[in-house]
Amino acid sequence: MTYNYLETLILPYRKSLNSTETLIADHMIELGSEVINKTLANLSEETGLSEATIFKFVKKIGFQGFQDFKISIASNYKLHHQVTDKINVFSEITENDS
């Protein structure tokens, strides 16, 4: 299973979300790091909810605004992948080679 910062971020709020907020949360979790390429207008169109509703959701989960939210996601995605991704430059070399 791949790491999903959004899932980790939203989990503590899950029980307090109403049905509309749950829809937003599920959509964002499904998008994962791709949410950083979305605007409020994109998310509004994709979910059928208003931009204000999505903005209020982002504030409810602890962010000052949508840009703050996206920066946090981008930063955490990058940090996680710097630690876990391996670059395979010499694919012909194996661990058994001397």
Side-chain angles (χ1 to χ4, degrees):
M1 183 175 157
T2 60
Y3 174 76
N4 189 335
Y5 172 67
L6 279 166
E7 197 166 23
T8 305
L9 180 70
I10 294 169
L11 186 64
Y13 298 93
R14 189 57 99 166
K15 290 183 180 180
S16 67
L17 300 179
N18 63 36
S19 61
T20 302
E21 293 165 338
T22 300
L23 177 77
I24 297 167
D26 291 343
H27 185 67
M28 287 185 174
I29 289 169
E30 184 179 319
L31 288 172
S33 65
E34 285 302 309
V35 79
I36 62 176
N37 299 319
K38 303 287 183 176
T39 63
L40 277 172
N42 295 141
L43 293 172
S44 174
E45 186 177 315
E46 291 171 5
T47 60
L49 301 169
S50 73
E51 292 179 30
T53 301
I54 296 167
F55 185 81
K56 288 176 189 174
F57 168 79
V58 168
K59 294 214 29 133
K60 183 174 185 170
I61 62 171
F63 294 93
Q64 293 178 335
F66 190 65
Q67 291 302 324
D68 182 38
F69 170 71
K70 287 180 22 171
I71 289 168
S72 175
I73 294 165
S75 298
N76 281 283
Y77 179 80
K78 184 177 180 181
L79 283 174
H80 179 77
H81 282 81
Q82 284 176 340
V83 171
T84 60
D85 285 351
K86 293 180 181 178
I87 299 174
N88 194 358
V89 178
F90 302 104
S91 60
E92 68 277 2
I93 298 174
T94 67
E95 290 180 10
N96 297 328
D97 291 338
S98 59

